[in-house]
Amino acid sequence: MSEKLTDIFGMYVFNDSVMKERLPRDTYMKLKEIMDNRGELTIEIANIVADAMKDWAVEKGATHYTHWFQPMTGITAEKHDSFIEPAEDGKVLMEFSGKELIKGEPDASSFPNGGLRETFEARGYTAWDCTSPAFLRENAAGLTLCIPTAFVSYKGEALDKKTPLLRSMQAVSNQALRILRLFGDTETKHVDVSVGVEQEYFIVDRKNYKRREDLIMTGRTLFGAPAPKGQELDDHYFGTLKERIAVYMQDLNRALWKLGIYAKTQHNEVAPAQHELAPIYESANVATDHNQLVMDAMKKEAKRHGLKCLLAEKPFKGVNGSGKHDNWSLVTDKGVNLIKPGSNPDKNPQFLLFLAAILEAVDTYPEILRLSASNPGNDHRLGAQEAPPAIISVFLGDQLEDVVEQIISKGEAKSSLHAEKLLTGVSSLPTINKDATDRNRTSPFAFTGNKFEFRMVGASASVAEANTYLNTMVAEILQKYADELEKSENFDEDVKKVIYRALTEHQRIIFNGNGYSEEWVKEAERRGLPNLRAMVDAIGTLADEKSVKLFEHQGVLSEAEIRSRVEIGYENYAKIINIEAKTMIDMASKLYIPGVARYVKVIADSINSVRTACPAADVSAQEEILLNCSTLLARAQKALDDLKTADAKAISIADKEECAKFFKEDVCARMEALRAPIDELEVLVEKAYWPVPAYSDLMFDI
Ligand code: ADP
Ligand code: MG
């Protein structure tokens, strides 16, 4: 490889060093202040930045720019304009003004808005988010300057995922600062949310993918019998990479490094054909943008390598699904991680107060945290193989659980457990210091040493909601504590009381056991923890009185914005299940049923021929196949008709909530009923007559 990592890293990013080099010093300083929420962006500054950005982009070969935004579709959107302006003599100039940098006006009527706008009020604005760096995106046609933006309506209502995220980051920073001031910190000006997103994905061969209409239309298999070998041998997890995958990952890393994304860790995951990529954590907003670029690059590089990247939460029934671990912490502008316990958490009241706030927040608002990880695909993943259930609980680990127990039983903690040395029994191996706590992979929300890891989010989803909701709920509780403690006359004692009260009242949310077990489902019910199994059960909780109060109080979402998001949620769910149902109908009618019918005829013909040739021959095997296949075929045809009827009824329901719920209850059940006989047929019918690649082809043929 000729290019060095250090040479290519960030080459497509208008980053701090480029700005320092290309902007006049005072403009650079002012822009930095604006990025820290400490200054107003004027048109003069925007003009200077736009000009420098354009020169940089054009020197690299870009001809177009786009405002890059994240509408409620969950993916990104862009509209491209070229830099050209007419000049004299029929020539062109390359121009980019401050106005074009800071404001865009996409014709927004076709994006989901959940009733926030009538079609005739199509105006929507994109506004430059200077806290996430502009970058150049490469495709076969060249480079485009992409400007991360927020997307809002004419009235300023959020039509995207970024605006509420930015609001929530501000809210949690403001409240965390108040707490820090109470502990005597006069220096910190800003508290940032750090997020590291581990991304799981599957890779299949493109030639197999192209023969699966379900993968093409919906991203997941809607039919498919289990392969003879699944993940039972655990031989794929952390296994040696296949050559093709290794080359793919290398190119993927390079594409991400050019975009200034710190792609760091890569390995095979639990299921065959499943992999993971983890970048180093960054500010929540940038990490969220970067995760979108990671997903995008994964798909694009796969195509270049004759592969297909599947980001669906459950592409294959019966094997591990893909999620996205959202690692979250609060870090001051001085680099102090507020979620780090230090070696003696019992003597760290500031840490304990933040910990108490997080526990109280998660226990008070578990429904919306659950909602933040809801999409139709995740309904198949949560609670299934190797994924946390839909019940929210927090894993603290031995050390913190011990401290929490001391506080609850004695009012305060006097000691902390310490990590031991790891004894291997082999003198030539190094002595390793163990972590204070083992891991618990079954917990949806786990403390992992200096951060919390929210493991519920689906692989294809944006992490914007998860972080927005988490920031908001933690801000709310911190605000409550700050209100109370700012009035205190004996701070040291009152802090202890607040911690004691929070831990005592919210201890039910702590669970260190096996989250995958049936007993936990029962135990959680006994504790009164909600178990919202499906997305449709969770959507409406956003508009509960409790949630509306929370989001309005923190200035993150208005009631109108909430209602629009609820509507979009139901609508999205219904649309996706409808596409899945229609795809199943299509595949069953045009592929499976005719394919099996042809096979049945071949068997029937062969029975007749054998009988004619040799009347004494035993044809009982052929007859059994014929009988079984015909019976299953008839069942499939009946299930197909039922599904068609249910789907037609579902789409005729006007009320969005009712429609989504009908899809969940009725259409999904009929989809399962159609899948069952066809999956049974797959193991009976001769492979040459089976119309699509099998699970074994998809997962092992790389
Ligand atoms: P794991 O804990 O899953 O073994 P790592 O410790 O490498 O793996 O972290 C997983 C992810 O968490 C990475 O993206 C990493 O950058 C991120 N991470 C590490 N520390 C923090 C932190 N303080 N805040 C947020 N994310 C973090
Ligand atoms: Mg992890």
Side-chain angles (χ1 to χ4, degrees):
M1 198 58 57
S2 53
E3 299 163 306
K4 272 172 44 192
L5 195 173
T6 43
D7 291 341
I8 61 168
F9 190 84
M11 66 187 273
Y12 286 163
V13 191
F14 193 72
N15 57 21
D16 196 61
S17 65
V18 180
M19 288 196 280
K20 213 181 255 170
E21 188 188 308
R22 289 180 176 256
L23 294 175
R25 189 166 163 74
D26 62 326
T27 311
Y28 170 77
M29 298 306 289
K30 279 192 192 127
L31 188 60
K32 294 291 279 185
E33 281 176 16
I34 296 160
M35 289 163 84
D36 284 347
N37 289 318
R38 286 185 288 120
E40 274 289 295
L41 179 64
T42 61
I43 190 69
E44 289 74 30
I45 296 173
N47 278 330
I48 299 171
V49 178
D51 206 45
M53 229 183 231
K54 183 251 323 177
D55 286 346
W56 169 80
V58 170
E59 278 167 35
K60 299 254 181 201
T63 52
H64 285 69
Y65 71 92
T66 177
H67 275 200
W68 185 75
F69 58 106
Q70 297 169 41
M72 297 303 296
T73 51
I75 50 172
T76 58
E78 46 200 78
K79 176 184 158 221
H80 297 222
D81 281 295
S82 71
F83 292 119
I84 61 169
E85 288 293 332
E88 286 173 7
D89 314 329
K91 298 212 166 100
V92 291
L93 288 172
M94 299 296 255
E95 292 290 355
F96 185 46
S97 68
K99 192 166 151 274
E100 288 167 311
L101 167 65
I102 60 179
K103 190 181 99 175
E105 226 180 292
D107 176 16
S109 53
S110 300
F111 291 106
N113 65 78
L116 277 183
R117 257 177 345 205
E118 300 297 335
T119 319
F120 61 86
E121 299 173 326
R123 230 181 251 278
Y125 295 107
T126 49
W128 178 35
D129 166 22
C130 64
T131 62
S132 183
F135 58 93
L136 292 170
R137 195 132 75 142
E138 196 173 21
N139 64 19
L143 291 168
T144 301
L145 172 65
C146 295
I147 297 147
T149 54
F151 181 40
V152 292
S153 77
Y154 189 66
K155 293 183 195 141
E157 286 150 333
L159 295 171
D160 68 348
K161 302 198 176 220
K162 184 188 272 280
T163 309
L165 176 61
L166 291 172
R167 291 174 185 160
S168 75
M169 288 170 71
Q170 220 165 310
V172 78
S173 174
N174 292 345
Q175 301 310 328
L177 268 183
R178 289 176 68 196
I179 300 287
L180 292 181
R181 295 284 181 267
L182 286 167
F183 280 98
D185 174 341
T186 52
E187 302 270 293
T188 302
K189 294 196 181 72
H190 180 77
V191 173
D192 198 20
V193 181
S194 286
V195 165
V197 188
E198 298 164 71
Q199 175 76 48
E200 292 178 332
Y201 61 101
F202 278 84
I203 291 287
V204 298
D205 192 296
R206 205 164 183 88
K207 73 174 184 306
N208 288 327
Y209 158 77
K210 287 183 104 169
R211 292 181 53 217
R212 293 278 321 205
E213 187 182 335
D214 46 3
L215 288 182
I216 294 172
M217 292 296 158
T218 73
R220 70 183 190 98
T221 59
L222 301 170
F223 297 97
K229 175 175 182 250
Q231 63 201 48
E232 54 279 84
L233 295 180
D234 289 332
D235 53 351
H236 191 256
Y237 192 47
F238 284 11
T240 310
L241 299 177
K242 288 180 179 166
E243 287 284 312
R244 248 181 115 185
I245 298 294
V247 176
Y248 163 74
M249 284 181 173
Q250 187 179 40
D251 283 354
L252 173 61
N253 284 335
R254 298 174 68 74
L256 296 175
W257 291 334
K258 286 181 187 174
L259 288 167
I261 297 172
Y262 300 95
K264 168 103 176 145
T265 312
Q266 59 193 30
H267 59 80
N268 284 350
E269 255 301 327
V270 176
Q274 193 186 26
H275 311 280
E276 180 181 299
L277 182 143
I280 297 174
Y281 65 95
E282 301 172 282
S283 179
N285 177 35
V286 179
T288 303
D289 284 357
H290 279 176
N291 180 248
Q292 293 285 352
L293 294 178
V294 166
M295 291 194 284
D296 189 65
M298 282 179 164
K299 290 189 234 170
K300 225 186 259 166
E301 287 300 324
K303 193 166 180 189
R304 289 203 321 121
H305 285 79
L307 301 166
K308 174 69 191 177
C309 169
L310 302 176
L311 291 174
E313 286 69 26
K314 196 79 175 172
F316 304 104
K317 189 176 176 177
V319 282
N320 194 38
S322 296
K324 194 172 291 206
H325 293 177
D326 188 71
N327 294 271
W328 179 95
S329 68
L330 295 173
V331 185
T332 70
D333 51 14
K334 303 270 173 288
V336 178
N337 180 353
L338 302 175
I339 316 296
K340 198 170 174 175
S343 44
N344 292 303
D346 61 300
K347 301 193 177 48
N348 188 346
Q350 183 182 301
F351 165 75
L352 290 174
L353 191 65
F354 277 99
L355 176 71
I358 293 165
L359 289 170
E360 180 164 348
V362 174
D363 189 39
T364 310
Y365 304 104
E367 297 89 356
I368 54 168
L369 202 54
R370 160 71 180 96
L371 173 62
S372 77
S374 294
N375 66 11
N378 227 11
D379 276 3
H380 304 284
R381 169 179 166 258
L382 294 177
Q385 296 83 8
E386 298 274 336
I391 307 162
I392 300 277
S393 65
V394 182
F395 168 81
L396 287 182
D398 299 336
Q399 189 188 48
L400 290 189
E401 188 169 58
D402 172 63
V403 169
V404 168
E405 263 169 25
Q406 291 181 53
I407 294 172
I408 292 173
S409 59
K410 303 188 201 111
E412 64 182 310
K414 299 247 186 254
S415 64
S416 295
L417 299 176
H418 284 106
E420 296 155 12
K421 300 259 185 253
L422 185 71
L423 302 174
T424 60
V426 180
S427 59
S428 59
L429 289 177
T431 311
I432 296 172
N433 291 324
K434 287 208 278 196
D435 290 294
T437 286
D438 196 4
R439 283 173 187 277
N440 179 329
R441 288 166 38 99
T442 68
S443 176
F445 197 85
F447 181 73
T448 44
N450 61 355
K451 62 188 191 285
F452 277 93
E453 185 171 350
F454 182 44
R455 301 178 173 137
M456 258 191 183
V457 184
S460 71
S462 161
V463 288
E465 271 104 348
N467 291 304
T468 302
Y469 297 178
L470 197 50
N471 297 342
T472 309
M473 60 176 79
V474 172
E476 180 76 4
I477 306 298
L478 290 175
Q479 177 162 16
K480 186 175 99 174
Y481 294 176
D483 288 347
E484 194 174 335
L485 290 169
E486 278 168 1
K487 292 195 210 100
S488 164
E489 297 190 343
N490 187 344
F491 179 70
D492 291 350
E493 277 312 304
D494 288 344
V495 166
K496 281 187 204 158
K497 283 187 197 148
V498 170
I499 295 169
Y500 171 77
R501 187 189 62 209
L503 296 180
T504 312
E505 285 175 9
H506 299 284
Q507 54 180 307
R508 66 171 187 167
I509 199 72
I510 302 170
F511 178 63
N512 282 345
N514 179 7
Y516 294 170
S517 70
E518 224 1 81
E519 293 82 69
W520 169 232
V521 177
K522 293 200 194 97
E523 165 67 12
E525 198 180 333
R526 209 183 48 73
R527 293 189 192 184
L529 298 175
N531 183 2
L532 300 168
R533 285 170 204 275
M535 176 178 175
V536 290
D537 304 329
I539 297 171
T541 61
L542 190 64
D544 285 352
E545 202 188 325
K546 184 173 77 173
S547 318
V548 173
K549 238 171 105 183
L550 165 71
F551 285 110
E552 291 210 319
H553 191 223
Q554 290 304 321
V556 172
L557 289 170
S558 68
E559 183 159 3
E561 288 169 333
I562 287 175
R563 299 220 170 272
S564 84
R565 269 150 221 260
V566 168
E567 192 173 314
I568 291 169
Y570 285 127
E571 201 173 70
N572 258 343
Y573 181 85
K575 280 183 184 162
I576 287 171
I577 305 299
N578 183 39
I579 293 170
E580 291 188 349
K582 290 239 158 24
T583 305
M584 287 188 87
I585 292 169
D586 207 50
M587 289 175 79
S589 320
K590 295 184 186 153
L591 293 172
Y592 293 116
I593 292 178
V596 176
R598 224 175 307 128
Y599 179 64
V600 164
K601 181 170 180 312
V602 170
I603 299 288
D605 289 350
S606 99
I607 293 174
N608 287 336
S609 325
V610 173
R611 280 213 178 108
T612 315
C614 176
D618 180 354
V619 290
S620 59
Q622 293 93 315
E623 281 178 341
E624 195 179 324
I625 296 173
L626 186 59
L627 185 66
N628 287 341
C629 287
S630 303
T631 310
L632 287 166
L633 192 59
R635 240 177 80 195
Q637 182 61 48
K638 162 86 177 56
L640 171 64
D641 295 338
D642 287 351
L643 178 58
K644 280 185 189 162
T645 313
D647 188 60
K649 168 135 193 247
I651 52 179
S652 72
I653 301 173
D655 180 80
K656 295 208 162 67
E657 178 177 351
E658 214 181 295
C659 171
K661 290 188 168 161
F662 187 86
F663 267 109
K664 167 74 191 133
E665 294 310 320
D666 217 273
V667 177
C668 287
R670 282 168 212 274
M671 285 164 62
E672 279 308 304
L674 173 58
R675 176 178 186 146
I678 290 184
D679 287 358
E680 276 185 61
L681 279 163
E682 187 173 349
V683 291
L684 295 177
V685 171
E686 184 184 332
K687 194 164 167 72
Y689 287 84
W690 200 250
V692 301
Y695 270 21
S696 51
D697 303 319
L698 290 166
M699 283 188 280
F700 294 97
D701 173 18
I702 286 281

